[in-house]
Amino acid sequence: MKRTLLLASAAMGLLCATATPAMAGTTADLLKRLHEKGILSDEEYQELLKNESAEAAAAPAAPPVTPDASGGGRSVRMTDSGVGFEMGDVTLKFSGSVNGFYVHDNGEAPSATNSVVGGVATVGGKSSAIRNGLLPGFLKVEVMTRQGGWDVGAHFGMYPGINSVSYAGSGANSPGNPRGLQTAGIDFRQTYLTFGRPGFGEVKIGRDIGLFASEQILNDITLLSSGTPAGNVAPSNTTLGRIGVGYIYTDFQPQITYTTPSFSGFTASIGIFEPLSSLTVPDEANKEPGFQGKLVYDGKFGGVGTRLWAAGIRQKHDVIAGPDYTSWGWDAGAKVTVGPLTLVGTYYDASGLGTTALNLFDTDGLGNKRDSHGFYLQGLASFGKFSVGGSYGESNLDYANAADALANPTLVDKNSSWVGQVRYGLTSWVTLLSEYVHTRSEAHNGNQASSDAIAAGAILFF
């Protein structure tokens, strides 16, 4: 009997927090579900149902719902889009993705002529894996409301992979560990708050995707698939996609960023960022934040949809045992949609940023900067549920000086790849994909390596 009273109290407490005249029968539905799940016995279910019916018959008519101080009522309804609900002025939304691919990578056998430091083409023969693509899975939870004329929100993004990882050196995105009794990694990439209002724009504070190079990865067709596999023998949470073969990875970074309202299709963002230490220079004591900005235009010219962007990054590096240096970079691109065809072209140029990841191979280790640049060109045509696409891209890295050339003869000069892709929209949530990727890495001394990969699988978004 004590258990029955506790369950009844919990059920009634939930209903009291959300009750409105339009929700008659909700208590009975809740009790039915508890009974079906075996939480309530037959006797407990019948007793509670009988009590609920008696109380409903004796209860006076409910008064109209009174809005709270911020203008909303104490009602619960489903959100217009996404998976979630609205309760008064508070919206709770869940969104996410799951993917998996069979990836077969065919690389060259190791030799003295295909050693490339910083190369992304596979060297080591053939391998097969069941793994995530460029995206791991993710679950995003957002709580949003309007208070005092401001739209405010809390945002959390968890990105779990399907492959086991070692947690050595790179945390949840460390090299894979394909053995029994292991666990996958959960990369908690997003934790940020937002507040804004019409005419003001929006402020973001927390950890989220950067501004520099963000458009390049978000418009890349390999974002939904595999691209260059990287580490296919022991896969980590993600493949490379086109990272390092067309652009530098934007990364998820602590930041305070302001974005303007849209002015005739133009929006601008500017932010201060946690300064990142070099992955090449041994020790830094950075005193200044990093700075990033982005300008975007969205518009239509007749039946042609257009998105144009330009972004930049700058950060000073205070090196403990060596000369200080300032890294900088910019990227620009365009996305044009004409009927079923979407074309994308991007370019970046940088100094002291390195290649593939921010501040990887950015200097000679003594604070002397290396310059880098790259681009990719891409097309995707859609015909009903089928889409066919392809792209080519490359990333280039220069020596810092003549001494760097003598000390690092096998340093990567260029990473490039060709990608061919086919998609089929199985449902509104599920897309099937297959892909062929040819990757090539070239060193400054003439060493070369190439690999070929095929991938097939599916990705789901909700």
Side-chain angles (χ1 to χ4, degrees):
M1 184 61 184
K2 183 179 180 180
R3 176 172 178 268
T4 301
L5 291 174
L6 287 172
L7 289 167
S9 176
M12 295 305 171
L14 177 61
L15 265 296
C16 288
T18 60
T20 70
M23 295 187 65
T26 304
T27 305
D29 291 339
L30 177 60
L31 294 176
K32 182 180 179 182
R33 292 192 179 189
L34 293 173
H35 178 240
E36 290 172 345
K37 292 179 178 293
I39 298 173
L40 293 176
S41 67
D42 292 342
E43 292 78 14
E44 291 169 339
Y45 170 62
Q46 293 299 332
E47 182 180 354
L48 289 172
L49 190 62
K50 180 180 178 181
N51 292 340
E52 192 272 335
S53 298
E55 290 172 4
V65 176
T66 303
D68 60 27
S70 58
R74 293 179 297 152
S75 62
V76 177
R77 64 185 182 88
M78 300 306 294
T79 53
D80 295 331
S81 62
V83 179
F85 62 88
E86 295 180 2
M87 184 169 62
D89 286 331
V90 178
T91 299
L92 176 63
K93 277 192 177 183
F94 300 89
S95 60
S97 178
V98 181
N99 73 78
F101 296 90
Y102 167 74
V103 179
H104 180 79
D105 195 12
N106 187 6
E108 300 175 357
S111 71
T113 61
N114 61 19
S115 175
V116 181
V117 176
V120 298
T122 300
V123 175
K126 299 179 180 180
S127 64
S128 293
I130 307 297
R131 61 180 301 178
N132 283 119
L134 176 53
L135 278 177
F138 69 82
L139 175 63
K140 189 171 183 181
V141 181
E142 300 177 277
V143 183
M144 296 162 286
T145 188
R146 186 168 181 82
Q147 297 177 342
W150 291 90
D151 297 312
V152 300
H155 311 260
F156 306 91
M158 298 159 279
Y159 289 71
I162 66 172
N163 297 96
S164 298
V165 295
S166 63
Y167 283 95
S170 304
N173 292 321
S174 66
N177 190 12
R179 295 177 174 85
L181 305 178
Q182 305 302 311
T183 61
I186 300 178
D187 176 3
F188 217 125
R189 297 186 185 184
Q190 294 172 300
T191 310
Y192 63 94
L193 66 89
T194 55
F195 60 88
R197 65 197 308 174
F200 169 81
E202 184 179 79
V203 174
K204 176 194 297 180
I205 302 176
R207 183 186 182 95
D208 194 23
I209 195 169
L211 300 177
F212 171 74
S214 59
E215 293 291 328
Q216 292 178 299
I217 190 170
L218 293 175
N219 288 287
D220 178 7
I221 60 172
T222 70
L223 182 64
L224 304 188
S225 55
S226 170
T228 297
N232 204 51
V233 173
S236 61
N237 269 4
T238 69
T239 60
L240 278 179
R242 191 166 278 294
I243 296 172
V245 279
Y247 52 83
I248 297 172
Y249 179 47
T250 177
D251 222 322
F252 286 74
Q253 306 169 56
Q255 61 187 275
I256 300 175
T257 297
Y258 166 70
T259 300
T260 69
S262 177
F263 297 105
S264 300
F266 287 93
T267 57
S269 301
I270 188 167
I272 57 174
F273 286 70
E274 170 75 13
L276 298 178
S277 295
S278 170
L279 293 167
T280 306
V281 177
D283 295 297
E284 295 182 30
N286 296 319
K287 304 178 180 66
E288 299 178 7
F291 299 91
Q292 296 187 36
K294 184 169 71 170
L295 179 65
V296 177
Y297 171 75
D298 278 303
K300 273 197 170 186
F301 300 93
V304 180
T306 304
R307 183 176 178 88
L308 308 174
W309 69 85
I313 184 173
R314 180 192 179 277
Q315 182 190 315
K316 183 180 179 182
H317 295 259
D318 300 301
V319 182
I320 294 175
D324 297 342
Y325 66 99
T326 298
S327 61
W328 58 264
W330 61 270
D331 72 89
K335 179 180 180 179
V336 178
T337 301
V338 184
L341 182 63
T342 300
L343 302 174
V344 177
T346 77
Y347 180 83
Y348 77 90
D349 189 61
S351 181
L353 275 188
T355 188
T356 306
L358 290 170
N359 305 118
L360 176 64
F361 303 117
D362 56 349
T363 78
D364 61 358
L366 300 174
N368 300 304
K369 297 190 295 182
R370 293 169 175 155
D371 294 337
S372 58
H373 64 276
F375 70 92
Y376 75 80
L377 299 173
Q378 171 183 290
L380 183 69
S382 299
F383 309 96
K385 291 190 173 186
F386 282 96
S387 297
V388 180
S391 68
Y392 172 79
E394 60 183 54
S395 291
N396 301 271
L397 182 67
D398 299 334
Y399 279 129
N401 48 39
D404 189 19
L406 291 174
N408 301 288
T410 60
L411 179 70
V412 64
D413 180 22
K414 179 170 71 175
N415 285 315
S416 61
S417 73
W418 289 93
V419 175
Q421 186 184 101
V422 178
R423 302 179 183 178
Y424 177 74
L426 184 67
T427 73
S428 61
W429 283 20
V430 179
T431 301
L432 308 180
L433 299 102
S434 62
E435 190 172 69
Y436 165 75
V437 184
H438 175 74
T439 306
R440 184 180 181 87
S441 297
E442 303 171 38
H444 282 274
N445 71 344
N447 281 7
Q448 298 180 2
S450 63
S451 58
D452 297 277
I454 58 171
I459 187 167
L460 175 150
F461 288 97
F462 69 89

